[in-house]
Amino acid sequence: MSRTRLFFLTLLAMIAFAGNSLLCRLALKHTSIDPANFTNIRIISGALALGLIIRMRDGAHSVAGNWPSALALFIYAAGFSYAYLSLSAATGALILFGTVQATMIGYGLWTGERLGTRQSAGLICAFSGLAALLLPGLSTPSLPGSLLMLSAGVAWGVYSLRGKGAGDPIHVSAGNFLRAASLAEALSVVTLPSGSLDRSGFWYAVFSGALASGVGYAIWYTALRGLTAAIAAVVQLSVPILTAAGGIIFLDEAITLRLMIASTAILGGMALVIIDNKPAKC
């Protein structure tokens, strides 16, 4: 794969990931769709898009995946949607991706990896930034929204860890999306009395599931073939920045000094941990 193609595939994937936050926030802020219906439509659309990609690529209908991963995917998607009832696009993306990286790093430590001095300093810096973002104050993001996005980040971290070495990632993702669709449908049924849906919200959810999730993941898995693990982790830290830019342009969101400082600490600290990625086993 040429460097130019690799660059554009990676950029498209990061834009797609940022697009998930922007589309969800747009839908919940400017349409009447509720989080449960958004989650349901998003997951179903993602499953259909991934199934179509498999059909076009391999000429086959078979999918893989498993229920524990599907459950993690559902918890991520539902927590993500409900969190964006009260969080700005930029704040939600920062909490999400910071938590995903922290979950995966924490798993590495639990399984015996050890951090060097610079990695430890980076981890402390990142957690300090997250704490500063969530401490009480005039510009503190919603606590329920923050907790929901933290749970979504942990779930996505678990989903990512379970996906390592699980087989063809697109086949696995398609199967997980298909299984998670039944859970999302159950959520929609349970919340039916308070549910709502309109045409604009429906299409935002479809675009989030089919394009930003299904096609976005397929592009990302293609790009991953040319990226090292450390670089792949670092480039994902660009998503909150892209989301913040999109929030300013499309949602008229303001970037506070608190968010800027927290972003610098969280993303800078995580980058230091990942770039200096030479852990030693016990």
Side-chain angles (χ1 to χ4, degrees):
M1 187 185 304
S2 69
R3 290 186 178 182
T4 301
R5 185 182 180 218
L6 180 60
F7 170 79
F8 280 109
L9 286 175
T10 303
L11 178 61
L12 282 174
M14 296 307 101
I15 292 173
F17 292 166
N20 266 323
S21 292
L22 296 171
L23 287 166
C24 185
R25 183 61 177 154
L26 275 167
L28 296 175
K29 183 178 181 181
H30 294 298
T31 79
S32 64
I33 193 171
D34 66 286
N37 275 320
F38 185 93
T39 301
N40 188 22
I41 296 168
R42 177 191 175 189
I43 292 179
I44 291 173
S45 300
L48 291 173
L50 288 165
L52 180 60
I53 290 169
I54 290 171
R55 177 64 176 169
M56 293 174 63
R57 189 191 69 174
D58 303 332
H61 294 286
S62 63
V63 294
N66 55 79
W67 279 105
S69 292
L71 177 61
L73 175 63
F74 166 73
I75 293 172
Y76 149 72
F80 179 93
S81 298
Y82 277 95
Y84 270 128
L85 282 173
S86 55
L87 297 180
S88 70
T91 300
L94 179 61
I95 295 173
L96 176 69
F97 279 85
T99 306
V100 170
Q101 297 295 340
T103 299
M104 298 181 75
I105 292 168
Y107 176 78
L109 294 173
W110 184 66
T111 56
E113 293 182 1
R114 291 293 176 264
L115 300 181
T117 302
R118 282 183 293 180
Q119 288 180 305
S120 298
L123 197 59
I124 292 171
C125 180
F127 278 116
S128 297
L130 185 59
L133 178 66
L134 300 179
L135 283 174
L138 292 177
S139 57
T140 303
S142 159
L143 180 59
S146 298
L147 292 175
L148 284 165
M149 195 60 85
L150 284 168
S151 68
V154 171
W156 187 252
V158 170
Y159 182 80
S160 300
L161 288 166
R162 287 187 55 84
K164 288 186 175 182
D168 181 274
I170 297 180
H171 279 263
V172 171
S173 292
N176 289 333
F177 266 78
L178 190 61
R179 289 175 175 84
S182 62
L183 302 175
E185 184 66 30
L187 176 64
S188 288
V189 171
V190 170
T191 59
L192 187 61
S194 60
S196 59
L197 180 64
D198 64 7
R199 182 179 298 178
S200 296
F202 172 83
W203 285 111
Y204 280 136
V206 169
F207 292 147
S208 175
L211 298 180
S213 296
V215 175
Y217 296 163
I219 293 172
W220 176 235
Y221 294 137
T222 301
L224 279 176
R225 299 171 187 169
L227 300 173
T228 65
I231 292 175
V234 170
V235 297
Q236 290 183 71
L237 298 180
S238 67
V239 174
I241 299 171
L242 292 171
T243 305
I248 294 170
I249 297 169
F250 299 110
L251 292 163
D252 197 28
E253 293 182 350
I255 303 300
T256 64
L257 179 61
R258 184 190 192 115
L259 181 61
M260 290 176 63
I261 293 172
S263 298
T264 302
I266 294 171
L267 301 182
M270 288 298 179
L272 186 59
V273 174
I274 297 163
I275 292 171
D276 192 23
N277 188 24
K278 297 177 180 179
K281 288 280 186 178
C282 289

